[in-house]
Amino acid sequence: MNPHRTIVVDKPFLKTGCVLGEAPLYDEKTSTLHFVDIVKCQVLHLNLVTSELSVDQFDEPVSCIALRRNRRGLACAAARGFAVIDPDTRKLNYLSTPLNHHYLNAGVRFNDGACDSQGRFFAGTIFSKEHNIPGQLFRYDPFDDTTVVVDEGPFTDSNGLGWGKDEKTFYFTDSLVNIIYAYDYNNGSLSNRRVFADGISAGLPSGTFADGLCVDSEGGVWSARWGGSSIVRFGADGRVDLQVHFPFALNITACCFGGPEEDQLFVTTAHCSAIGGDPSRQAIYPDSGHLFRVDLSSKFKGGKWRFEFGG
């Protein structure tokens, strides 16, 4: 990695105190940044104009969110499957529940997800090594109410996913093996799975893992590094060409572009104790769990890498 291509961000944008902050999503219509805390079973909404923060509390984890096309409220993947959040009652209404109690009791749940331009919701699950249940990638189609497995894996923890320029390439992260895959994408169908980026082969430290991602207008893939205090940008060739370093936050979980010019990178993080982590490290990384913003004006803008839910 070229040391001259490093951006250092040493102060949080907002001290949110999340245990497992994830899945930031910017709504340009309302200037609102939505994100989740999976462990606290919360969806948070930050108005970037007024700085007002509101929180919706649920009885089970919500792991990723999507705006709805021509409708109020949000769609999401929650523990058991795909759902919508009623904007008035703030209740979770499931549309499809492919995971039953057998999976949930084994520690399997849905994790990251996003919608394509037709409004289909893709989301993956986390694996259970103890029960030999692999992570898998699902697709929910709201137009015919079908849920199918589009890649059986086996994956570890399904994570950062989205589309490249022109929606011809689909990216999907297998976290614990540090691989970002690329697929050919054609109207809901995936083919030709291949390795786009291998974090360890790229020289990133062992013991750090690929988490959420987003895609910029040039087609660069920004991948959050769990345990690595950083986000790395992979160019079209799958090589790291830029790093954003957060010296006082350990677990960087996900990122998205937002703001009026789509040139601000919003970044979620997790507490050092999350997912069996070492809480004593929080003294060294006291901003773990807070929300960050990276000013990339005149440098990068967000691409069309995820879309609105069609239901």
Side-chain angles (χ1 to χ4, degrees):
M1 239 179 297
N2 188 334
H4 300 292
R5 295 282 287 174
T6 300
I7 300 170
V8 177
V9 182
D10 59 4
K11 293 181 180 179
F13 179 61
L14 184 68
K15 293 186 176 182
T16 52
C18 290
V19 177
L20 183 52
E22 276 280 8
L25 171 70
Y26 178 70
D27 183 356
E28 62 180 7
K29 296 177 183 177
T30 62
S31 299
T32 300
L33 182 74
H34 308 281
F35 55 105
V36 308
D37 187 330
I38 297 176
V39 170
K40 291 183 180 179
C41 304
Q42 294 176 341
V43 178
L44 301 92
H45 317 275
L46 176 63
N47 187 307
L48 296 176
V49 176
T50 66
S51 298
E52 178 183 2
L53 179 68
S54 60
V55 181
D56 296 337
Q57 183 68 53
F58 299 96
D59 296 328
E60 57 187 291
V62 174
S63 54
C64 64
I65 46 183
L67 301 177
R68 300 181 71 183
R69 184 177 300 163
N70 301 320
R71 297 196 185 191
R72 297 169 54 232
L74 299 171
C76 66
R80 290 176 281 160
F82 300 90
V84 293
I85 299 171
D86 188 291
D88 298 314
T89 64
R90 305 296 187 185
K91 297 296 184 181
L92 194 65
N93 298 320
Y94 272 105
L95 303 172
S96 173
T97 53
L99 297 188
N100 58 29
H101 290 293
H102 166 71
Y103 289 96
L104 300 178
N105 291 338
V108 176
R109 61 165 173 79
F110 273 88
N111 199 39
D112 206 359
C115 297
D116 72 0
S117 64
Q118 300 302 307
R120 308 177 187 96
F121 207 144
F122 288 73
T125 57
I126 62 175
F127 83 132
S128 171
K129 184 177 181 179
E130 179 183 359
H131 295 86
N132 195 31
I133 300 174
Q136 297 180 315
L137 179 61
F138 290 75
R139 182 191 70 217
Y140 173 70
D141 190 330
F143 303 104
D144 60 12
D145 194 33
T146 58
T147 303
V148 297
V149 175
V150 291
D151 196 332
E152 296 182 349
F155 301 115
T156 59
D157 287 355
S158 301
N159 228 310
L161 56 89
W163 288 264
K165 295 178 70 174
D166 304 320
E167 208 178 357
K168 293 180 179 179
T169 303
F170 177 78
Y171 298 105
F172 176 68
T173 302
D174 190 355
S175 279
L176 298 188
V177 296
N178 263 303
I179 296 292
I180 301 175
Y181 290 108
Y183 300 73
D184 294 336
Y185 189 77
N186 182 21
N187 194 30
S189 297
L190 303 177
S191 61
N192 189 28
R193 185 179 82 189
R194 58 205 180 270
V195 173
F196 166 71
D198 180 331
I200 301 305
S201 295
L204 300 173
S206 61
T208 72
F209 303 95
D211 207 315
L213 62 74
C214 67
V215 182
D216 64 36
S217 61
E218 299 174 6
V221 175
W222 300 68
S223 175
R225 299 296 300 176
W226 178 276
S229 301
S230 66
I231 290 173
V232 294
R233 181 185 188 271
F234 293 98
D237 59 0
R239 296 182 181 181
V240 176
D241 60 13
L242 183 145
Q243 178 184 31
V244 184
H245 180 55
F246 305 88
F248 303 115
L250 178 63
N251 297 320
I252 314 303
T253 58
C255 51
C256 77
F257 284 91
E261 303 299 325
E262 288 285 336
D263 58 4
Q264 304 297 300
L265 189 71
F266 293 96
V267 181
T268 52
T269 66
H271 195 277
C272 290
S273 64
I275 316 181
D278 181 358
S280 69
R281 303 190 75 181
Q282 193 70 18
I284 306 171
Y285 301 100
D287 291 331
S288 300
H290 296 332
L291 177 71
F292 289 81
R293 181 180 67 178
V294 185
D295 183 4
L296 295 173
S297 54
S298 76
K299 299 181 180 71
F300 295 99
K301 288 190 175 186
K304 292 295 183 182
W305 67 283
R306 59 182 175 186
F307 304 86
E308 297 173 329
F309 179 60

